[in-house]
Amino acid sequence: MLDYVDLEADLGEEERMIRDTARRFVDEQVRPEIGEHYEAGTFPTELILEMGELGFYAPNLDGYGLANVSETAYGLLMQELEAGDSGLRSMASVQGALVMYPIYAFGSEAQKEKWLPKLGTGEAVGCFGLTEPEHGSNPSGMETRARKEGDSYVLDGSKTWITNSPISDVAVVWARETTAEGSPVRGFLVETDRDGVTTNEIHEKLSLRASITGEIGLQGVEIPAENRLPEADGMKAPLSCLTQARYGIAWGAVGAARDCFETAREYAIDREQFGGPIARFQLQQEKLAEMATEITTSQLLAYRLAELKERGDLRPQQVSMAKRNNVRMARDQARIAREVLGGNGITTDYPPMRHMQNMETVYTYEGTHDIHTLILGHDLTGIPAFE
Ligand code: FAD
């Protein structure tokens, strides 16, 4: 497995164990079936509980039955899951970084005790509703509204492109509260079996097919006032969740690219044309050398983020740089790996084209490549260029 500058040498025992557990899980439980799931447009839902048992949901959080592992261990976990499929890593990212993290960071003690243990085991599934049909890259324009009525809130609006909404028990919904002073952004826990909630699935995807994506319709949905996340105040709350998830994506994209590289290397050595393996051609060796170099430099960036995150010094802009770079890298390298495989490369029998298609979503969600460019541009010049 590609680790060209021997990053493994600096891993602790627990980090190796978590990586190996995830790698084995992917090899045994995911690889044999994932191509069929991709073609069918289904997620292997039978793995949700097993992923919980293995501690794949928010293991970097502490308490409530969660493991409190290092940020490197968490990153390695995301890397191995995405080597299987971006849909699998998306499942763990949404559940851990976008549902459990906001409850952990902004929730009341009662909310934490009610939800974190069962989300951690996978007995409950959650989703994160920020994007709306008219507000994607600019979520602060959101139109979903919450108004306080006695001991309840009433929510109206719609969210779209929501990973796992059709199979979720609870949605973290971001909405503007209508108050006399203004309309601050707030977070709410909305159980999906409440009257007025609909979660239609989006079926037409040509990317991230092994992942369930849907809408959240909210029509006069009444929830108890204690379902509001009390510490979530303003857009910085959902944005801080996105920073957690983007951190995992920066690692995960390296896993997808590594899987493409390993497939291409093995194929190039096995496949014979003109009387010998295609790996003997300089043209193919250049592709493998370039892939290995790109993957290694992206890996280094991910490892550095882990160090900064571990000591509490990680800035969101640094995460933007890594998400932007590593996903673009994976998208480009998946395409090159696909080329090395010739005609076989366009089938679901081999992973590169599946990863390549997945990367179109990963390039777009959690802040598009363009938006991360603007975040970096703002950070580097002090001048915002969003509008
Ligand atoms: P738009 O914002 O309309 O952007 C269209 C294009 O314009 C992009 O290329 C963009 O980069 C560009 N653009 C926009 N603004 C600017 C600007 N200022 N300068 C230059 N270019 C600009 N959201 C959730 O809330 N929860 C989820 O679980 C979730 N899961 C998803 C799963 C999938 C499979 C997909 C595809 C999306 C998911 N999303 C989710 C939504 C995702 O975050 C949005 O698609 C993304 O933020 C982009 O929004 P948009 O699609 O509306 O594109």
Side-chain angles (χ1 to χ4, degrees):
M1 207 63 74
L2 185 71
D3 176 16
Y4 207 70
V5 293
D6 200 13
L7 292 162
E8 161 130 22
D10 295 324
L11 296 181
E13 197 180 324
E14 187 183 57
E15 290 164 341
R16 280 166 211 250
M17 196 191 75
I18 289 166
R19 182 203 56 189
D20 293 345
T21 302
R23 194 173 282 177
R24 202 173 324 112
F25 168 79
V26 165
D27 285 344
E28 291 172 6
Q29 310 272 55
V30 179
R31 286 191 194 282
E33 311 270 335
I34 195 66
E36 282 166 38
H37 277 290
Y38 200 85
E39 277 188 77
T42 52
F43 181 79
T45 45
E46 67 280 5
L47 298 182
I48 291 175
L49 274 174
E50 190 168 346
M51 289 170 71
E53 277 163 29
L54 291 170
F56 290 175
Y57 306 130
N60 54 341
L61 301 182
D62 193 10
Y64 309 95
L66 305 170
N68 191 25
V69 303
S70 74
E71 296 297 347
T72 302
Y74 178 74
L76 289 165
L77 170 63
M78 296 298 124
Q79 184 178 278
E80 295 308 320
L81 293 180
E82 198 143 4
D85 192 85
S86 299
L88 201 66
R89 200 269 307 136
S90 295
M91 171 75 217
S93 278
V94 169
Q95 183 91 343
L98 295 180
V99 179
M100 295 171 70
Y101 174 79
I103 295 172
Y104 184 85
F106 307 118
S108 65
E109 199 48 46
Q111 290 167 344
K112 292 179 200 181
E113 276 165 22
K114 176 172 179 190
W115 286 109
L116 290 179
K118 54 186 174 186
L119 287 163
T121 57
E123 282 164 78
V125 173
C127 64
F128 178 87
L130 180 64
T131 304
E132 298 186 356
E134 303 304 327
H135 306 280
S137 294
N138 181 17
S140 65
M142 71 178 69
E143 293 170 49
T144 301
R145 287 289 183 272
R147 61 176 196 281
K148 187 104 188 279
E149 286 190 3
D151 287 342
S152 303
Y153 279 98
V154 179
L155 276 77
D156 282 284
S158 61
K159 301 286 177 181
T160 192
W161 292 119
I162 308 305
T163 302
N164 282 347
S165 75
I167 58 160
S168 284
D169 302 286
V170 63
V172 175
V173 171
W174 300 95
R176 286 195 180 273
E177 184 180 351
T178 310
T179 69
E181 294 80 42
S183 49
V185 170
R186 306 272 194 226
F188 299 90
L189 299 178
V190 180
E191 296 89 347
T192 52
D193 57 2
R194 286 190 181 273
D195 288 348
V197 179
T198 51
T199 55
N200 297 330
E201 188 168 351
I202 299 171
H203 288 288
E204 302 83 3
K205 290 181 300 168
L206 295 175
S207 167
L208 207 74
R209 286 182 57 74
S211 173
I212 300 164
T213 315
E215 303 165 338
I216 305 176
L218 301 156
Q219 281 194 318
V221 178
E222 192 176 334
I223 56 168
E226 63 258 25
N227 277 25
R228 181 167 82 81
L229 295 171
E231 307 300 327
D233 184 20
M235 271 309 290
K236 61 181 185 303
L239 292 180
S240 74
C241 304
L242 294 176
T243 299
Q244 303 300 316
R246 290 165 181 171
Y247 170 79
I249 293 172
W251 277 88
V254 174
R258 191 197 66 202
D259 194 50
C260 292
F261 169 80
E262 292 299 350
T263 307
R265 169 160 67 177
E266 191 182 327
Y267 194 89
I269 291 167
D270 287 350
R271 174 73 175 168
E272 298 198 351
Q273 289 294 292
F274 297 96
I278 60 169
R280 80 190 191 285
F281 298 128
Q282 289 180 4
L283 282 175
Q284 302 310 322
Q285 290 193 2
E286 192 271 342
K287 288 175 188 160
L288 295 172
E290 189 64 23
M291 288 173 82
T293 308
E294 289 290 323
I295 292 166
T296 301
T297 52
S298 298
Q299 255 172 349
L300 285 167
L301 190 51
Y303 272 82
R304 177 63 181 158
L305 287 199
E307 285 173 3
L308 292 172
K309 194 167 194 291
E310 198 65 62
R311 62 183 202 221
D313 289 338
L314 184 61
R315 295 192 303 127
Q317 293 86 345
Q318 293 164 330
V319 180
S320 283
M321 180 182 277
K323 191 270 182 185
R324 180 180 181 278
N325 180 73
N326 293 8
V327 175
R328 176 183 54 189
M329 181 282 296
R331 189 194 197 211
D332 293 346
Q333 301 314 318
R335 188 156 176 230
I336 293 171
R338 207 292 306 154
E339 280 177 33
V340 174
L341 270 66
N344 281 328
I346 71 156
T347 67
T348 50
D349 294 342
Y350 295 90
M353 184 125 174
R354 179 168 49 77
H355 285 307
M356 181 174 123
Q357 288 176 221
N358 282 338
M359 281 303 138
E360 295 303 315
T361 288
V362 183
Y363 194 80
T364 292
Y365 75 11
E366 298 279 350
T368 68
H369 188 80
D370 294 333
I371 292 299
H372 289 295
T373 308
L374 297 177
I375 291 170
L376 292 177
H378 185 192
D379 195 42
L380 295 168
T381 66
I383 306 169
F386 295 89
E387 289 172 13

